[in-house]
Each structure stands twice: as structure tokens, then as C-alpha cells.
Amino acid sequence: MDAPPEMSLAGDLRAWVTGLCRLAPGDDAERIEMVRLLEKLKCAAAGAQARLSRDFEDSQLEAQRAAGVPARDLGKGIAAQVALARRESPHRGSRLLGLAHALDEMPHARLALARGEISEWRATVLARETACLSRADRAVVDAELQSRPGGLESMSDRDVERESRRIAYRLDPHAFTRRAAKAESERSVTVRPAPDTMAYLTGLLPAREGVAVYAALVKHADSLRSEGDVRTRGQIMADTLVERVTGQASASGVPVEVHLVMTDAALLAGDAQPAEMAGFGPVPAPTARTWLADAEGSVWLRRLYTSPGSGDLAAMDSTRRSFAGNLRRFIGIRDGLCRTPWCGAPIRHIDHARRAADGGETSVVNGQGLCQACNLTKDAVGWQARVAADGAVETLTPTGHRYVSRVPPSPAARGPSNRSRLEVFFRDFVLSA
């Protein structure tokens, strides 16, 4: 049986890329020249991906219409397929498909990307800063930037950002102002994990307020430093932010809720296996024990049963026949983040891998944690899933491509792992500095 055309094409591309890795330039000048040429190749490849993604979308939309898909569902799952093919998150896949659309309205940027003269990110910046404009005005910005000495190729990311904004405001000040007002309505504060048991707390604010907050923190830090405070400016600014937001007199003593998964040996016998903090990742065992020792509120423990040998999470104290209660909590602990390959978004839904309508069981093996977008996508026309005995989920997309999502390694069990796991939940927990 002949291999599918895409398999032959993929084999040719892999062989060609492997050949690039074996190139042996003679001197440093040739090495730098090859780095330059490979960068152009990488950019040109991004241009080809954008064109192919648009062609794919058009073809998929035509197929969905022919299949009688309701208008409200047209396009569902298309960006997700682009994301899987590019090993990106669904959110990133939507942005990449949006860029492909924008390039249709910016022929100079599209050509520069196809020639490897600008990067995919630089094209994205241009598309982002002109998103509020009409198709005609967007084309004007594209042409004006390309007409400058050196064209788009000679401009930095900041140059493109700054100049496209200026031109956009000149062409349509009302649209630019409306966009600014909309952006202000989307102000928010988010938190995400950082290395070494830290977190990034990010405030998206109007420029005036953002600068004012930063200036106030700098002024306070410089004042304390001038009085002999030995902390760095950054440390004082961080501590002051915590103090003023929480109302605490110092950076210590902030009541929080903490949810950890760790081995019984790590909690009770001084073992070095790290704990896992829900939504943030590994926490050194000594740190987790210090937190516990300083807890001033209630502490709950729940045993998580593990498979002998592998140490993978297998069951909880109790389960129910729907994804609720302990069963829902267990799958959330086990998966940690959205199970879709390369997504990594926070879990919002616990659902069947193999649909209940197709005979899928409401069980630990057939359950998976997904973000909202991925859970909706898996119900699009042409998407199927199979579940292996070990819980691995094989997703089949409408084009026949297969992607496998395996159960992640058990939290706090990445080592000799036939020990018990404990879910540790602290309420009114107090972190010490």
C-alpha cells in the first residue's frame, strides 16, 4: 500500500532539515552567513505556513458548508487543527490564523515574510497595531512602511509598532480612539507561575495609571534606601506592593489558601521529593514543610492511591459516577493543565475523552481535564477520540492526523515512586517571609 502523499512530503522535509544540521562551514564568516540565511529560511517558512493555513481554512469552510454545519458553528475546530500541526496552543493557533487573514490585506508585509525579510513576530506586530483600521487603510499603512528607505526589512519590532500606530492615528483617529477606550475596559490583573516557587503578578492598566503605580513604588523604595534600608529597590517595591494591596504591615503574614500534592515521606519523614502546588508546579519539600509548620489555620489531608511500581495516581478515597466531587478533583490534580497537546491552559472543564454518547464511561481513565476552548473543539464535526488502557487519549482530526495526549507524570512522584501521595489543603494559611 502506497504511503499517503503528506507522509512522503514530510519525509522529504525531514531529510532536508537533517541535512542542514550536517553543514560544516569553513570559518566564522561562513558560519554567520549561514545563520543569516537560515533565519531568512525560517521567516520564509512562516510565510508559507500562513498561506497554507488560509488555503486550509477556505477548504475546511467549504467542506463544513457541504456537510450542513449550522452557520453558528462554521469554522469550529479549524484554528485548533492549525495549532496542533504547529505544536502550539489553541489560543496561539487562533492568533496565527488571524495573522494569515491580516496578511491578505497587507501585500507588502506578506511578500516580505515570504521572502524571509521580516519575522513572523514583526508581521504580527504590524497586524496587531492596524487591527482597528479598515482594509483600505491597513493597506495604506503597509505600503507607506514599505516605501521608506530599506522598507520593512530595515525596521525593528519597536519601529514597526511605533510607526504603524502613528500612521493608523493619522488615517482614522476615531477608530484609534475607540480601540484605546476598548482596551481600557479590558484592564485586569493576572497571576502565572515563575521559576523557583515565585509568581508573576501582572497588572494590565491604562498607561497613565500604570506609570503612576510604578513611579509611586520607585519613589517609596528610593526614600527607604536613602534612610539606610538594605533591601534592593526591586525588593522594596515588591514588598510594598504586597503590603499596600493586602493591608498587611509587612510582606509576611498574608492569609492565603494553598493546595499541595506531596508524598507522605516528604511531608512526615523529611524526604526530598518535591511537592506540587496546584496551578504553579513543583515546590521544594523543605519549603512545603516550612509552610506547614507556620500554618495558623485549618489543615486537611486526603490520601491519593497510586499504582505500585509506577507511582501514577490511580484513585481517591471515593468517586462518583459523574465528573463532580472527588472524581472531578482527582482528575484535575492528575492532569494539572489542559490535556490537549501543547495547550497548557488552566483546566476549566472535566469531561469524557470518548464521548458519553459514543459509549464512553464516566471514569478516571476516560476523564480528562481541558480548557474551555479545547473542550468545545473536540465536539466539532469530524473530531474523534480513542482512549487506551493507560489513559492515553488519541485524537483524530478531520484531516486524519493523530495526536496523542498521555497522562502526565504523577505530581510529587518523579523518582522512586511507589509511595503514597497526600493531598494537602491549607485554609487561612499564613506564609512567612
Side-chain angles (χ1 to χ4, degrees), residues 343-424:
C343 179
I347 291 174
R348 293 288 179 261
H349 297 170
I350 305 294
D351 206 350
H352 303 79
R354 183 168 183 251
R355 299 182 183 93
D358 297 334
E361 297 181 349
T362 304
S363 65
V364 168
V365 172
N366 194 49
Q368 59 178 345
L370 297 169
C371 69
Q372 181 174 339
C374 289
N375 195 39
L376 296 175
T377 295
K378 72 181 180 64
D379 290 327
V381 174
W383 289 70
Q384 302 176 41
R386 290 193 288 264
V387 185
D390 63 356
V393 177
E394 182 184 64
T395 299
L396 185 68
T397 67
T399 59
H401 288 81
R402 290 175 171 82
Y403 301 91
V404 177
S405 167
R406 294 179 173 83
V407 176
S410 171
R414 296 170 179 86
S417 53
N418 58 354
R419 298 166 176 161
S420 298
R421 308 292 170 264
L422 296 173
E423 182 188 12
V424 188

Side-chain angles (χ1 to χ4, degrees), residues 422-433:
L422 296 173
E423 182 188 12
V424 188
F425 188 71
F426 307 92
R427 179 169 291 166
D428 297 329
F429 180 67
V430 178
L431 297 181
S432 294

Side-chain angles (χ1 to χ4, degrees), residues 14 16 18 20 29 47 63 93 97 106 116 132-133 136 174 188 200 204 246 291 305 325-326 342 346 367 383 431:
R14 289 192 192 97
W16 187 72
T18 300
L20 289 177
L97 195 55
M106 301 185 295
C132 62
L133 300 179
H174 296 295
S188 62
Y200 294 108
L204 179 62
T246 64
W291 290 354
Y305 297 105
N326 283 342
W342 307 297
W383 289 70
L431 297 181

Side-chain angles (χ1 to χ4, degrees), residues 147-303:
S147 68
R148 298 185 178 188
L152 284 166
E153 185 178 13
S154 66
M155 302 180 73
S156 68
D157 295 341
R158 292 296 299 273
D159 289 337
V160 170
E161 180 180 37
R162 182 176 59 250
E163 294 306 311
S164 58
R165 282 183 185 176
R166 287 176 178 169
I167 302 170
Y169 184 78
R170 188 190 74 219
L171 294 172
D172 193 343
H174 296 295
F176 195 91
T177 303
R178 285 195 302 271
R179 175 178 175 174
K182 182 177 184 297
E184 184 171 343
S185 72
E186 295 172 347
R187 60 192 181 277
S188 62
V189 177
T190 57
V191 63
R192 60 189 176 90
D196 304 321
T197 325
M198 303 290 280
Y200 294 108
L201 178 69
T202 303
L204 179 62
L205 304 171
R208 181 179 59 185
E209 283 80 356
V211 170
V213 169
Y214 185 80
L217 291 172
V218 168
K219 182 178 180 180
H220 180 67
D222 288 345
S223 175
L224 292 185
R225 292 269 295 169
S226 67
E227 295 172 4
D229 196 310
V230 297
R231 292 174 294 173
T232 67
R233 175 196 271 184
Q235 290 171 341
I236 296 174
M237 291 171 67
D239 294 346
T240 302
L241 177 64
V242 173
E243 293 165 13
R244 293 184 177 178
V245 170
T246 64
Q248 299 295 321
S250 66
S252 62
V254 181
V256 295
E257 290 186 348
V258 177
H259 180 192
L260 300 173
V261 178
M262 60 194 306
T263 66
D264 52 357
L267 178 62
L268 304 172
D271 192 83
Q273 283 281 349
E276 190 90 2
M277 185 174 178
F280 278 79
V283 175
T287 302
R289 288 192 290 269
T290 299
W291 290 354
L292 175 60
D294 290 342
E296 295 183 357
S298 302
V299 178
W300 290 268
L301 300 180
R302 181 185 285 110
R303 183 178 295 278

